[in-house]
Amino acid sequence: MRAFCIGIGLIALLGCGHEQGAAEFVVRVGQERFVVRIMSPDQIETARQILAGRLSQRIISGELRAGDGGFNRDPQTGRRWSWHLDPQTVVFAEVAIELCDGLPSHVEANLPYWLGTVRRFCPWSAFVEREL
């Protein structure tokens, strides 16, 4: 997509940051943080409602993918995670199974297990800290 944006000129290039309509949020789990990109307008609105205090915190959940996706890092430490949540699958749930609960560092430390067996990350104690 980026090559296409560059190839069609300056006007198009201005709109080629991260995916159009996406929003990024910092999520805190204990003392760790990660960045999630959300594509669904409904889920973006849910995150913003949570930040504004109009909705209670929910469990953020999404399918795990290898690599940082170009956005997943801990903004406090600058550490880039070697995994990310697929932006198309991110949802805010009221309940989730225990299997996908954990810290970002748990996923990092045993990435093959999380990607191949668990396949989702849904940290129960996470909360949306801010929008980027």
Side-chain angles (χ1 to χ4, degrees), residues 33-52:
R33 290 166 180 81
F34 67 98
V35 173
V36 63
R37 180 176 288 165
I38 304 174
M39 297 298 298
S40 162
D42 289 342
Q43 297 304 314
I44 292 169
E45 182 59 25
T46 297
R48 289 177 177 154
Q49 293 288 322
I50 290 169
L51 280 174

Side-chain angles (χ1 to χ4, degrees), residues 41-85:
D42 289 342
Q43 297 304 314
I44 292 169
E45 182 59 25
T46 297
R48 289 177 177 154
Q49 293 288 322
I50 290 169
L51 280 174
R54 292 190 283 275
L55 283 177
S56 61
Q57 286 289 335
R58 308 259 170 95
I59 300 169
I60 192 162
S61 177
E63 294 177 13
L64 284 165
R65 301 288 184 257
D68 66 15
F71 57 87
N72 192 19
R73 66 194 180 286
D74 182 333
Q76 284 295 107
T77 65
R79 177 183 187 174
R80 296 200 76 81
W81 300 109
S82 61
W83 56 270
H84 67 282
L85 297 184

Side-chain angles (χ1 to χ4, degrees), residues 79-132:
R79 177 183 187 174
R80 296 200 76 81
W81 300 109
S82 61
W83 56 270
H84 67 282
L85 297 184
D86 180 341
Q88 300 287 346
T89 68
V90 174
V91 295
F92 289 90
E94 293 190 31
V95 295
I97 62 171
E98 187 175 359
L99 179 66
C100 59
D101 182 25
L103 294 169
S105 59
H106 294 158
V107 177
E108 189 73 20
N110 201 352
L111 195 57
Y113 170 74
W114 281 87
L115 289 172
T117 302
V118 180
R119 299 204 233 152
R120 290 190 78 81
F121 185 46
C122 62
W124 291 4
S125 62
F127 66 92
V128 180
E129 190 170 70
R130 64 186 163 96
E131 184 170 0
L132 294 176

